[in-house]
Amino acid sequence: MAKAKSKTALTTRDNLSALIGSARKILRKDKGLNGDVDRLPLLTWVMFLKFLDDLEFKHEQEAELDGKPYHPIIEPPYRWRDWAAREDGITGDELLVFIGQEHTHRADGSLGQGLFAYLRALAGEGEKGSQREVIANVFKGVQNRMVSGYLLRDIVNKINGIHFSASEEIHTLSHLYESMLREMRDAAGDSGEFYTPRPVVRFMVQVTHPQLGDAVLDPACGTGGFLVETFDHINAQVKTTEQRRILQRDTLIGQEAKPLPYMLAQMNLLLHGLEAPQIAYGNTLERRINEIGHAERVDVILTNPPFGGEEEAGIKANFPPNMQTSETALLFLQYIMRKLRVAGAPVSGKKAAERGGRAAVVVPNGTLFGDGVAAAIKADLLKEFNLHTIVRLPQGVFAPYTDIPANLLFFERGGPTESIWYYELPLPEGRKKYSKTAPLQFEEFALVLAWWNAREEGPQAWNVSAEEVIAKGCNLDIKNPNAKAGLEHADPKDLIASMRGHEAEVMRLLGEIETLVNEVQV
């Protein structure tokens, strides 16, 4: 029987913010942690364990009310309530040993596995994709970097004050967590990770408009930004318990190759209400692309695959010989094209899809003008898919991680492409680029959102035939013909004429000044 927890008043938004703030101050005192890059992961795994215990307690109560047995995910004495909930519980070196050692004395005095060793071993005890496997994968990549067990006990006591069973607190904490994620990304800005700004994510999700019943994939999910936004987007469509089950269990799929973002994505999704995130751990590109069949295809892909990276020879071998490249972004583009649903194709347990799968993908400028393998991939894209829109983003959208200009590709299986709409997102008046301190805001997508369903050519929008693009070697890097002419767009003859004109004016002014100087000297 689930033992009733003492009823505690909910924590207000201000108190919750203060609680997280004081926990972060404690973390700054520990000599084993270096900056936000170390602090947020530590805070995350501690919160993760408290979250799981609150969730399990809720499910225990529900099972008890239904008169059904409950099988815990985490067994005693490893549950939060067993070793962490008492403020005067194990602390100092005893706490560090319990968490980090393979075998140790546990909080109840018995001998057994240490906490992390136990959690990692859960992998063999559950079905693929089960919560036990998720927990095991999360803790595969976790190390306790704190050197003071007393400070760690202080952190545990602070987090114990959060009630993850209260939706109001989870909602507040999800916002606080996102702000902490942003700070950590800024601190890790030179690590080569290009996280997608939230306004870009929200725009891509809104115009792609995933529906309840769609399978939505982010094959390079990072900290889960696209999946969180999609969850919120589809959650607004949910009206019944069955629809909620579909959203919780059969809708969102992600994959992430690096342990830290993998753990952060799990926490991010849990805080936003997804109880069992289907996030696979590992390199998406390890799959041989020709072996992906209809059963694995999805309805929607929203992603910002890593660009600027290079893959090893073993990964390249998973792609057709004439399409092999070490450029990560191009390999992901092929993977995405392969994964999109084919209209009318059989799907196990479901009706055949009436519509082909659709995708929204962030790509660097290099993908647009690249030749060789890049051009061959784009030729396939134009032939087999409807590449209907390219949104060109201004410089600095991904600051401070990179200034590489980026674009948003929108396409749907069911080609060929007849024509492509381009939309150039303008910078605000008087700005030359975005920056870390003055980033892109979602409101700046208002005009392109209004244009999306009522398209006309204008100062920011233009249309190009696929025939024209193919004739130029599948070069998609087509400048805005309606933009105010700048130096980079001017005809060289006009530039020379203009410079000669300025030169003549300068010579005339110099002549007048020389005359004045001579008059003064006389």
Side-chain angles (χ1 to χ4, degrees):
M1 178 185 287
K3 190 178 174 183
K5 288 186 175 181
S6 56
K7 194 158 186 178
T8 312
L10 291 184
T11 312
T12 64
R13 182 186 177 85
D14 288 345
N15 287 344
L16 197 55
S17 180
L19 187 153
I20 294 293
S22 66
R24 296 177 74 183
K25 279 183 187 169
I26 294 167
L27 289 172
R28 288 193 188 98
K29 295 178 188 172
D30 192 89
K31 307 297 183 207
L33 303 176
N34 293 310
D36 286 334
V37 177
D38 280 346
R39 291 176 200 132
L40 182 59
L42 190 133
L43 206 52
T44 299
W45 70 253
V46 177
M47 286 198 297
F48 189 83
L49 291 175
K50 175 66 166 67
F51 187 103
L52 281 175
D53 197 47
D54 283 357
L55 194 66
E56 288 226 70
F57 188 78
K58 180 182 155 196
H59 289 167
E60 281 178 61
Q61 288 184 315
E62 288 169 353
E64 190 177 318
L65 286 172
D66 292 342
K68 295 178 181 173
Y70 179 75
H71 304 289
I73 303 167
I74 297 178
E75 304 272 0
Y78 297 105
R79 300 171 305 180
W80 179 274
R81 71 194 84 160
D82 300 319
W83 64 271
R86 278 181 46 191
E87 286 202 2
D88 59 349
I90 54 173
T91 186
D93 289 346
E94 189 185 359
L95 178 58
L96 294 180
V97 167
F98 168 65
I99 286 171
Q101 295 293 314
E102 286 293 317
H103 290 90
T104 180
H105 279 97
R106 301 177 295 195
D108 62 357
S110 62
L111 280 172
Q113 287 177 297
L115 179 64
F116 282 6
Y118 166 78
L119 296 171
R120 289 170 187 144
L122 289 175
E125 298 185 15
E127 296 174 6
K128 189 170 174 56
S130 68
Q131 283 181 309
R132 287 189 167 191
E133 188 182 77
V134 167
I135 293 164
N137 281 332
V138 164
F139 282 90
K140 259 186 204 171
V142 170
Q143 289 182 324
N144 171 40
R145 295 186 185 281
M146 284 190 82
V147 294
S148 168
Y150 296 102
L151 290 175
L152 181 54
R153 164 49 68 180
D154 289 344
I155 292 294
V156 166
N157 289 344
K158 290 288 178 193
I159 300 304
N160 197 46
I162 300 174
H163 311 100
F164 289 99
S165 50
S167 57
E168 300 91 336
E169 286 195 26
I170 292 179
H171 182 72
T172 304
L173 194 61
S174 67
H175 290 286
L176 288 172
Y177 192 73
E178 283 196 15
S179 68
M180 287 191 285
L181 279 177
R182 275 197 298 275
E183 289 173 34
M184 194 201 73
R185 291 165 199 169
D186 290 349
D190 59 353
S191 68
E193 303 287 353
F194 305 147
Y195 292 95
T196 319
R198 192 61 182 265
V200 174
V201 171
R202 188 170 297 168
F203 169 72
M204 290 168 71
V205 171
Q206 283 200 10
V207 296
T208 308
H209 195 31
Q211 297 291 295
L212 187 72
D214 284 342
V216 183
L217 167 71
D218 182 348
C221 70
T223 55
F226 282 106
L227 297 176
V228 163
E229 189 66 33
T230 303
F231 179 80
D232 289 343
H233 184 85
I234 298 180
N235 199 27
Q237 304 165 23
V238 169
K239 293 189 170 54
T240 68
T241 307
E242 176 56 15
Q243 289 175 340
R244 182 157 303 286
R245 190 199 64 74
I246 291 171
L247 175 57
Q248 283 283 351
R249 299 282 169 185
D250 304 328
T251 301
L252 302 174
I253 313 157
Q255 184 154 355
E256 174 52 44
K258 296 188 176 179
L260 175 57
Y262 173 80
M263 178 179 75
L264 300 176
Q266 297 282 355
M267 192 71 217
N268 203 8
L269 287 160
L270 285 169
L271 288 174
H272 282 82
L274 194 66
E275 288 191 5
Q278 301 296 308
I279 311 292
Y281 179 51
N283 187 350
T284 298
L285 303 176
E286 284 177 345
R287 186 84 164 84
R288 191 171 284 275
I289 193 168
N290 286 340
E291 293 176 356
I292 298 171
H294 291 311
E296 296 177 58
R297 291 194 163 111
V298 297
D299 302 288
V300 178
I301 295 178
L302 292 149
T303 192
N304 176 10
F307 45 87
E310 292 197 353
E311 296 294 331
E312 60 190 75
I315 295 293
K316 288 193 284 185
N318 291 328
F319 292 79
N322 63 330
M323 293 293 195
Q324 291 181 4
T325 167
S326 57
E327 169 59 46
T328 306
L330 293 174
L331 295 178
F332 263 101
L333 191 52
Q334 292 180 71
Y335 176 87
I336 291 161
M337 290 157 64
R338 180 78 186 187
K339 282 286 281 189
L340 286 177
R341 183 92 68 210
V342 177
V347 183
S348 177
K350 292 173 74 173
K351 276 174 48 181
E354 293 178 3
R355 180 179 182 184
R358 56 200 191 279
V361 186
V362 181
V363 297
N365 259 12
T367 300
L368 297 196
F369 61 71
D371 54 12
V373 172
I377 296 167
K378 288 179 285 182
D380 274 1
L381 183 64
L382 295 169
K383 183 179 171 188
E384 304 293 337
F385 297 80
N386 178 18
L387 173 63
H388 53 83
T389 312
I390 297 177
V391 174
R392 312 211 65 169
L393 298 175
Q395 197 174 6
V397 168
F398 286 83
Y401 318 117
T402 178
D403 271 340
I404 297 173
N407 307 269
L408 311 179
L409 302 191
F410 297 88
F411 54 92
E412 183 167 339
R413 190 183 281 279
T417 303
E418 292 183 359
S419 67
I420 305 163
W421 279 100
Y422 285 77
Y423 192 99
E424 187 174 55
L425 196 70
L427 280 161
E429 192 73 29
R431 295 278 300 277
K432 291 184 177 174
K433 59 184 285 190
Y434 292 107
S435 65
K436 175 182 166 183
T437 53
L440 172 72
Q441 302 297 313
F442 180 67
E443 292 70 26
E444 292 170 51
F445 283 103
L447 290 177
V448 63
L449 281 168
W451 168 87
W452 194 266
N453 290 321
R455 301 183 176 200
E456 286 185 0
E457 293 216 23
Q460 305 307 133
W462 66 104
N463 188 265
V464 180
S465 71
E467 196 177 356
E468 183 182 339
V469 171
I470 292 167
K472 291 179 178 176
C474 294
N475 184 355
L476 293 165
D477 185 25
I478 296 174
K479 307 293 184 198
N480 182 359
N482 308 322
K484 190 177 175 183
L487 282 178
E488 69 273 25
H489 301 300
D491 187 298
K493 288 180 183 173
D494 294 340
L495 274 178
I496 292 168
S498 171
M499 290 164 73
R500 286 195 187 285
H502 287 305
E503 184 184 1
E505 180 67 8
V506 170
M507 294 306 292
R508 186 185 64 76
L509 288 171
L510 282 173
E512 287 181 8
I513 292 169
E514 189 177 22
T515 304
L516 285 171
V517 169
N518 289 338
E519 286 176 356
V520 170
Q521 286 179 339
V522 170

